[in-house]
Amino acid sequence: MAIIGGIEGGGTKFVCAIAKEDGTILREDRFPTTTPAETIGRATEFFRRESEAHGELKSIGIASFGPVDLDRQSSTYGFITTTPKPGWAQTRFAGAFEDAFRVPVGFDTDVNGAALGESKWGAGQGLNTLVYFTIGTGIGGGAMVDSSLVHGMVHPEMGHIRVRHDLARDPYSGSCPYHGDCFEGMASGPAIGGRWGVPAYDLSDDHPAWDLEADYIADALHTVICTISPQRIILGGGVMEQQQLFPMIRKRVQASLNGYVQSPAITDAIDDYIVPPALGNQAGIKGALALALAALDQPVDL
Ligand code: ADP
Ligand code: ZN
């Protein structure tokens, strides 16, 4: 049997999986992100061991924390570039797996991967234009537009768009080391924790934190709807475990757009427009597997 491999490379942990070509996961392993040598070594060992047990490895997909270099013409294609994560800046990532396995390696941001995975197997099936956000330790957004993942100049950084900040209502200055009160600076898990002095997951369902949080997320979605015109927006990540946020965000997006964007998706069916990932906490690793499948269709020069 032929198998594919996926790596969800996060700043905190790595998830590796092998799967059948229909996405059925056969084996999974997760371990903390330590040094690049140790972490990439563990992932390599996992694929060696599992392909011996389950069959030939056809391709590997990597959905990585960033920023990453996605420009195939660049000498640092497949690298993690300027990350502040100690030891990981300028790490050759995709190439290490091409060398080790001599198979096509798909490489993209974690959120582009999740957008692709959701479009193939989850909440984005049948759509060609969608946005996937993770709202967790950081905030990132991936976009598929007309069936292609958006890379452009570098790759989208939708976690760092500006949101309105009313200092009288919310004096918190923001946690983003680059922009202070950008979207991530105001609405990521650490921003919530920093503002209220309590970890986000410890705040009660009816805490005023969520009112503010829904406003920041709705502001960001207004911008994204007006720029990309996605057919659906999927919101994942630890903070979105707070299910009560969904109806709050939907209402505020409708109010914010104020009838201007004329689509029944917004005016009549917003419950199906702003949704959680259908793949749940497997959105990341399934995204990596979807990148592995996509890599099989791309000519490579190994
Ligand atoms: P990561 O972004 O590191 O991959 P997560 O998406 O789980 O991982 O995000 C972790 C962040 O989400 C932390 O800041 C944490 O406080 C917050 N978080 C995790 N679970 C919850 C929850 N149930 N409610 C609110 N915030 C949560
Ligand atoms: Zn920022």
Side-chain angles (χ1 to χ4, degrees), residues 192-193 196-210 242 244:
I192 300 169
W196 301 100
V198 184
Y201 51 78
D202 275 343
L203 297 169
S204 62
D205 291 3
D206 56 358
H207 193 279
W210 307 121
Q242 300 289 327
Q244 76 279 13

Side-chain angles (χ1 to χ4, degrees), residues 157 159-162 175-185:
E157 285 287 4
H160 296 268
I161 60 183
R162 291 278 174 206
S175 66
C176 177
Y178 290 88
H179 319 114
D181 59 359
C182 67
F183 183 26
E184 176 175 297

Side-chain angles (χ1 to χ4, degrees), residues 7-9 62-70 106-116 132 140-143 149-151 154-158 284 287-288 291:
I7 302 172
E8 180 190 1
I62 302 175
S64 176
F65 72 101
V68 288
D69 187 347
L70 302 175
F107 184 68
D108 216 315
T109 61
D110 45 6
V111 279
N112 263 352
L116 184 65
Y132 182 99
L149 295 176
V150 176
H151 298 146
V154 181
H155 48 75
E157 285 287 4
M158 288 184 264
L291 291 170

Side-chain angles (χ1 to χ4, degrees), residues 43-67:
T44 310
E45 244 170 67
F46 170 83
F47 291 123
R48 279 238 165 80
R49 195 175 58 237
E50 296 305 327
S51 73
E52 265 166 34
H54 293 274
E56 188 195 343
L57 192 61
K58 284 274 194 214
S59 65
I60 295 174
I62 302 175
S64 176
F65 72 101

Side-chain angles (χ1 to χ4, degrees), residues 11-178:
T12 321
K13 67 172 193 307
F14 264 49
V15 183
C16 295
I18 53 151
K20 297 197 238 175
E21 288 192 42
D22 66 1
T24 312
I25 293 177
L26 300 166
R27 283 287 284 222
E28 197 177 285
D29 192 15
R30 38 187 75 212
F31 41 88
T33 309
T34 57
T35 62
E38 185 180 39
T39 314
I40 290 173
R42 266 185 96 160
T44 310
E45 244 170 67
F46 170 83
F47 291 123
R48 279 238 165 80
R49 195 175 58 237
E50 296 305 327
S51 73
E52 265 166 34
H54 293 274
E56 188 195 343
L57 192 61
K58 284 274 194 214
S59 65
I60 295 174
I62 302 175
S64 176
F65 72 101
V68 288
D69 187 347
L70 302 175
D71 175 5
R72 287 191 173 272
Q73 307 310 317
S74 157
S75 60
T76 53
Y77 168 77
F79 279 51
I80 292 178
T81 57
T82 53
T83 180
K85 189 169 171 63
W88 282 83
Q90 308 306 334
T91 291
R92 184 164 175 265
F93 195 175
F97 291 89
E98 283 173 353
D99 289 353
F101 296 99
R102 314 303 298 169
V103 296
V105 174
F107 184 68
D108 216 315
T109 61
D110 45 6
V111 279
N112 263 352
L116 184 65
E118 285 288 330
S119 87
K120 203 165 180 57
W121 296 305
Q125 289 176 73
L127 306 178
N128 59 40
T129 299
L130 63 105
V131 167
Y132 182 99
F133 269 107
T134 183
I135 304 179
T137 305
I139 299 184
M144 173 185 283
V145 173
D146 296 337
S147 302
S148 294
L149 295 176
V150 176
H151 298 146
M153 176 183 64
V154 181
H155 48 75
E157 285 287 4
M158 288 184 264
H160 296 268
I161 60 183
R162 291 278 174 206
V163 290
R164 287 173 300 173
H165 183 190
D166 175 356
L167 275 163
R169 179 181 173 210
D170 177 15
Y172 182 62
S173 59
S175 66
C176 177
Y178 290 88

Side-chain angles (χ1 to χ4, degrees), residues 133 158 161-164 183 214-227 233 253:
F133 269 107
M158 288 184 264
I161 60 183
R162 291 278 174 206
V163 290
R164 287 173 300 173
F183 183 26
D215 276 344
Y216 290 130
I217 296 172
D219 240 18
L221 298 199
H222 177 129
T223 298
V224 165
I225 291 165
C226 294
T227 45
I233 298 176
V253 165

